[in-house]
């Protein structure tokens, strides 16, 4: 979940611990307000990824935020 103060370009992506892109969850213009995205534990090709630590990165309004996530199966 995240909230945007104003409408603008947004990118939300999941990276592995080596910093490699796993899956881009959103890319493009989003309206202001609250948004929910769900990562299904898959990579860009749709393959299931291994259990482990991943990072979700949100870039919007000239700022970026990252959060650690733990995927366990």
């Amino acid at each position: 979940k995240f909230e945007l103060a104003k409408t603008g370009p947004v990118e939300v992506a999941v990276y592995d611990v080596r910093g490699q892109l796993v899956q881009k969850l959103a890319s493009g213009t989003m309206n202001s307000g609250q948004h929910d995205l769900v990562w299904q534990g898959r990579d860009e090709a749709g393959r299931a990824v291994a259990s482990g630590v991943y990072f979700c990165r949100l870039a919007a309004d000239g700022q970026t935020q990252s959060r650690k996530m733990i995927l366990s199966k």
Side-chain angles (χ1 to χ4, degrees), residues 7 10 14 32 38-40 43 51 55:
T7 299
V10 173
V14 176
S32 62
V38 176
W39 178 46
Q40 298 294 330
D43 65 13
S51 294
F55 294 89

Side-chain angles (χ1 to χ4, degrees), residues 3-54:
E3 188 168 344
L4 299 174
K6 62 183 182 180
T7 299
V10 173
E11 183 172 290
V12 180
V14 176
Y15 294 87
D16 64 18
V17 293
R18 297 176 310 216
Q20 294 182 320
L21 176 67
V22 175
Q23 185 178 36
K24 197 175 286 188
L25 301 178
S27 181
T29 301
M30 294 183 118
N31 294 327
S32 62
Q34 190 160 347
H35 300 272
D36 294 321
L37 294 174
V38 176
W39 178 46
Q40 298 294 330
R42 299 193 174 276
D43 65 13
E44 286 286 301
R47 297 178 298 246
V49 298
S51 294
V53 176
Y54 294 89

